[in-house]
Amino acid sequence: MENLLSNVNGLSEELSIVDNYIDKFLHTERDAGTVDNVFSSVRNSRGKMIRPQLLLLAARFGPHYQDRQRNLCKLGAMVEIVHMASLIHDDIIDDSPLRRSRPTLQHKYGKDMAVVAGDFMISRVLRYLAEEQLMQEALNIGRTIEEMCRGELRQMACRWDTKTTIDAYLRNIHGKTVALFVEAVQMGARGSGASADLSDCLTAIGEHVGYMFQMRDDLLDFISAEDAEGKPVHRDFADGIYTLPVLYAFGQPSCGPRLEEIAGSEPASPGYGGLLREMGELVRQSGGIDFCRRQIENHAAQAKQQIAALPDHEARLGLGNLIDYLNQ
Amino acid sequence: MENLLSNVNGLSEELSIVDNYIDKFLHTERDAGTVDNVFSSVRNSRGKMIRPQLLLLAARFGPHYQDRQRNLCKLGAMVEIVHMASLIHDDIIDDSPLRRSRPTLQHKYGKDMAVVAGDFMISRVLRYLAEEQLMQEALNIGRTIEEMCRGELRQMACRWDTKTTIDAYLRNIHGKTVALFVEAVQMGARGSGASADLSDCLTAIGEHVGYMFQMRDDLLDFISAEDAEGKPVHRDFADGIYTLPVLYAFGQPSCGPRLEEIAGSEPASPGYGGLLREMGELVRQSGGIDFCRRQIENHAAQAKQQIAALPDHEARLGLGNLIDYLNQ
């Protein structure tokens, strides 16, 4: 990811600044022992920083990008912290033992610590938004976290429901994932003083990237070999979370009924591993994986159209590379 | 509680306004079904609103109390929402089936929902602080939530540790409970334009009330009959959370060693109920309960001294009644 975007002038330097702000915003010094261990685990759980990158790329199209660079990096750090906090709380929900091939916080320190660690991160976002007098951003981040909660709750409500529609799925992932991508892009656009038209165009790109990102994640969970992404395969299915390839397959007469049978099986039963493999094969045969790929391609094509409508700037290349990366 | 304070002119009316703001701040309309059910459960989990009452009583000593009344009620609502969110996340940590004699959110909908519901509430506090342009309050609430997280983490680190000192206990409950009481009082003082001296005096009262409140809670968990407060008795001890009466008793040569033995027993073992009863008896004999009561009385006496130093105002009576109620 970092290599991909290194061709955009100055972006890696900005990401280092974002990184420093994340450290600053999550810095704790008063405690020793367990408390501090938890917080360092939090600080070290950083990912690919796709959201800050998107924010900074979007910001390059605004007239005030240069003089607001530091501020934009701060916003990038806040978006990433919101994302990190949501991962920690999601892992409690999913009971995940691994994230990015490393033990999750809740696996390492227990659910209790994970609940508090996520809350701590949000308290820091709140505090620094206030310290930096970022009222409008506070409002938007508040709304985005609410969207994320809604998405998470809706997804829970759809759990084990084999009749979940693809529309419901799209609504769920909009809250769960897309909303924060959109917020990142809009922060970049607003923060650099982009015009309303430009901001709309960038928002659309952020939305497509968000959908692509989540669908790709669903696809990887589905097709990758065990542990390739540091996650067990078909974990979503076993948890009753039916992602796009599966939902498509449920609707196919050739395999839908058998898939529903498998979905009704007890995950703790001895033959369940075999059933999961059968499920994987059925979904593939039904065209569910191809369907998911096509959706990703559609979003990629639409995003590229929007990118083409942006003013000529090397950041367009960066956005294009991001799209290609997610469309691999 | 409400009866106790009804002698303070206008306070019940203000609490109704606070109540309406809580409804407004937590209002959701877009979702139907489970999502909305969770949010109404959240709205209905309101308690005695001690923190908003303290905020509003403190505010009466400031010169701008009258013209900032609405704003103060909004702040009261936010403090109560932070408190409600912390209860929901604490219940996940404590695995409590009951709170105020009603099933906890996590017991009713599972831990997953409870994590998200708490996050949703905090997102609303963030959003409305921003909408109301309450920068300074956002900063302070951010810091207070952080304090609460620290207290919670420290308490977890002390779990099952029979060598926990009373100082460590006091530090833990400062974060867990006292910090939000102090914040409530300070919001009232600042919000009504109280002088620095007055604010210091009110802060000290808030601090004493916070300690009294938590110690009384610990005492009730210890001495009340099963379900009298809607909570099982000695639950804290069985969870490895050693409160003031127990910590005092651990330090007494007459019963410390036996108590440590009991603390080391498996809570799932068949004779554990009997061991808990023995523990209760030993703590009582050691003077642990009396010690806890004396601490509460000390805080009450100090709070009353501070109240006596406040300007003559009927709100002094309200604060005095609150102290008497917690010192029963």
Side-chain angles (χ1 to χ4, degrees):
Chain A
M1 195 66 223
E2 276 150 46
N3 286 342
L4 263 169
L5 294 182
S6 60
N7 53 356
V8 178
N9 203 10
L11 191 62
S12 332
E13 290 78 4
E14 285 175 342
L15 288 177
S16 307
I17 303 175
V18 171
D19 223 47
N20 289 338
Y21 278 122
I22 294 177
D23 270 339
K24 186 191 158 196
F25 293 160
L26 297 182
H27 181 71
T28 57
E29 59 187 14
R30 281 185 297 159
D31 288 292
T34 323
V35 176
D36 210 44
N37 287 341
V38 174
F39 292 146
S40 5
S41 276
V42 162
R43 279 191 296 275
N44 292 330
S45 66
R46 237 162 287 181
K48 295 191 280 291
M49 302 227 284
I50 291 189
R51 291 154 195 82
Q53 293 190 45
L54 204 53
L55 186 155
L56 291 164
L57 284 175
R60 305 219 166 192
F61 295 93
H64 303 301
Y65 159 64
Q66 292 285 359
D67 40 303
R68 302 212 187 133
Q69 200 184 17
R70 288 237 141 226
N71 229 25
L72 290 160
C73 289
K74 283 179 194 166
L75 293 176
M78 288 183 195
V79 165
E80 189 67 9
I81 293 173
V82 169
H83 169 59
M84 289 158 72
S86 82
L87 288 186
I88 291 174
H89 279 184
D90 285 2
D91 286 336
I92 302 172
I93 293 168
D94 301 342
D95 243 323
S96 300
L98 291 176
R99 157 88 56 188
R100 294 175 189 136
S101 310
R102 301 169 65 169
T104 55
L105 203 70
Q106 61 114 341
H107 196 69
K108 209 161 152 193
Y109 295 104
K111 281 181 193 248
D112 310 358
M113 293 280 186
V115 171
V116 183
D119 290 349
F120 161 75
M121 296 170 89
I122 297 301
S123 77
R124 282 297 177 89
V125 170
L126 175 52
R127 170 176 158 182
Y128 283 101
L129 283 168
E131 259 185 26
E132 305 281 343
Q133 304 272 328
L134 297 165
M135 260 320 159
Q136 185 57 43
E137 307 310 337
L139 185 60
N140 290 312
I141 289 184
R143 283 189 185 140
T144 305
I145 297 175
E146 180 179 340
E147 263 314 290
M148 294 166 82
C149 291
R150 274 177 198 283
E152 202 60 61
L153 283 175
R154 280 201 211 100
Q155 177 174 296
M156 285 178 213
C158 290
R159 249 177 117 174
W160 306 110
D161 181 2
T162 61
K163 304 293 178 211
T164 303
T165 62
I166 287 176
D167 275 358
Y169 163 85
L170 293 173
R171 219 166 31 240
N172 296 351
I173 69 170
H174 188 279
K176 219 175 105 94
T177 305
V178 180
L180 191 58
F181 276 92
V182 167
E183 179 55 22
V185 158
Q186 291 185 334
M187 274 187 169
R190 264 195 315 271
S192 61
S195 68
D197 278 358
L198 202 51
S199 180
D200 285 351
C201 184
L202 289 163
T203 298
I205 294 168
E207 203 156 16
H208 291 305
V209 170
Y211 280 117
M212 288 177 77
F213 187 84
Q214 184 60 53
M215 288 176 183
R216 181 174 173 268
D217 202 51
D218 292 353
L219 202 63
L220 285 178
D221 180 78
F222 213 82
I223 63 173
S224 64
E226 183 103 17
D227 271 1
E229 277 280 295
K231 270 187 182 183
V233 170
H234 299 327
R235 165 124 212 158
D236 281 341
F237 188 92
D239 281 344
I241 295 166
Y242 304 131
T243 56
L244 196 52
V246 180
L247 290 174
Y248 177 88
F250 276 140
Q252 304 309 306
S254 62
C255 64
R258 175 61 187 148
L259 277 175
E260 294 203 21
E261 252 175 61
I262 298 177
S265 316
E266 176 50 57
S269 64
Y272 195 70
L275 288 178
L276 275 188
R277 277 189 294 278
E278 183 189 345
M279 181 277 296
E281 204 35 59
L282 285 172
V283 170
R284 184 182 300 274
Q285 282 165 14
S286 78
I289 289 172
D290 290 338
F291 176 77
C292 187
R293 282 225 169 84
R294 278 201 305 281
Q295 300 303 309
I296 295 175
E297 281 161 18
N298 282 345
H299 281 292
Q302 291 179 67
K304 289 223 163 173
Q305 270 191 336
Q306 297 283 349
I307 292 173
L310 287 171
D312 191 19
H313 187 292
E314 59 156 3
R316 290 208 306 192
L317 248 164
L319 289 171
N321 286 344
L322 181 57
I323 305 295
D324 290 340
Y325 168 78
L326 294 174
N327 193 22
Q328 270 167 3
Chain B
M1 198 62 224
E2 276 149 50
N3 286 341
L4 264 171
L5 294 182
S6 61
N7 52 357
V8 178
N9 204 9
L11 191 63
S12 335
E13 290 78 5
E14 284 175 340
L15 287 177
S16 308
I17 303 175
V18 171
D19 222 47
N20 289 339
Y21 278 122
I22 294 177
D23 270 339
K24 187 191 156 198
F25 293 159
L26 296 182
H27 180 70
T28 57
E29 58 187 12
R30 281 186 296 160
D31 288 291
T34 322
V35 177
D36 211 45
N37 287 341
V38 174
F39 292 146
S40 3
S41 275
V42 163
R43 280 191 295 275
N44 292 330
S45 66
R46 236 162 289 182
K48 296 192 279 293
M49 302 226 284
I50 290 188
R51 290 154 196 82
Q53 293 189 45
L54 204 54
L55 186 155
L56 291 164
L57 284 175
R60 304 218 167 192
F61 295 93
H64 304 300
Y65 159 65
Q66 291 286 359
D67 40 306
R68 301 211 188 135
Q69 200 184 18
R70 289 237 141 226
N71 229 26
L72 290 160
C73 290
K74 282 180 196 167
L75 292 176
M78 287 181 196
V79 165
E80 190 67 8
I81 293 173
V82 170
H83 168 60
M84 289 158 72
S86 81
L87 289 185
I88 292 175
H89 279 184
D90 284 1
D91 286 337
I92 301 172
I93 293 167
D94 302 341
D95 241 324
S96 300
L98 291 176
R99 159 84 62 185
R100 292 172 191 139
S101 311
R102 300 170 64 171
T104 54
L105 203 69
Q106 61 113 341
H107 195 70
K108 209 162 153 191
Y109 295 105
K111 281 181 191 246
D112 310 357
M113 293 281 186
V115 172
V116 183
D119 291 348
F120 162 75
M121 295 170 89
I122 297 301
S123 77
R124 281 297 178 89
V125 170
L126 175 53
R127 171 176 157 179
Y128 283 101
L129 283 168
E131 258 185 28
E132 305 281 343
Q133 304 273 326
L134 298 164
M135 260 319 162
Q136 184 58 43
E137 308 309 337
L139 185 60
N140 291 311
I141 289 184
R143 283 189 184 141
T144 305
I145 297 175
E146 180 179 340
E147 262 315 289
M148 295 166 83
C149 291
R150 274 177 198 281
E152 202 61 60
L153 284 175
R154 280 202 210 99
Q155 178 174 297
M156 285 179 213
C158 291
R159 251 176 115 174
W160 306 110
D161 180 3
T162 60
K163 304 291 179 213
T164 302
T165 63
I166 288 177
D167 274 357
Y169 163 86
L170 292 174
R171 217 163 36 238
N172 295 351
I173 70 170
H174 188 279
K176 218 175 106 94
T177 306
V178 180
L180 192 58
F181 276 92
V182 168
E183 178 55 23
V185 159
Q186 291 186 332
M187 275 188 168
R190 264 194 314 269
S192 60
S195 68
D197 278 357
L198 203 51
S199 182
D200 285 351
C201 183
L202 289 163
T203 298
I205 295 168
E207 203 156 16
H208 291 304
V209 170
Y211 280 116
M212 289 178 76
F213 187 85
Q214 184 59 53
M215 288 175 182
R216 180 174 174 269
D217 203 50
D218 292 352
L219 202 63
L220 285 178
D221 179 78
F222 213 81
I223 62 174
S224 64
E226 183 104 18
D227 270 0
E229 278 280 295
K231 270 189 187 182
V233 169
H234 298 328
R235 167 124 210 154
D236 282 340
F237 188 91
D239 282 344
I241 295 166
Y242 305 131
T243 57
L244 195 53
V246 181
L247 290 174
Y248 177 87
F250 275 140
Q252 304 310 306
S254 62
C255 64
R258 175 64 187 146
L259 278 176
E260 294 204 21
E261 251 175 60
I262 299 178
S265 316
E266 175 50 57
S269 65
Y272 195 71
L275 288 178
L276 275 187
R277 275 189 296 279
E278 184 190 344
M279 181 278 295
E281 203 37 57
L282 285 172
V283 170
R284 182 182 303 273
Q285 282 165 14
S286 78
I289 290 172
D290 290 339
F291 176 77
C292 186
R293 281 224 171 85
R294 277 201 306 280
Q295 299 304 309
I296 296 175
E297 280 161 18
N298 282 346
H299 281 291
Q302 291 178 68
K304 289 223 164 170
Q305 270 191 335
Q306 297 284 349
I307 292 174
L310 287 172
D312 191 20
H313 187 291
E314 59 156 3
R316 292 208 305 191
L317 247 164
L319 289 172
N321 286 342
L322 180 58
I323 305 295
D324 291 340
Y325 168 78
L326 294 174
N327 193 22
Q328 268 167 6

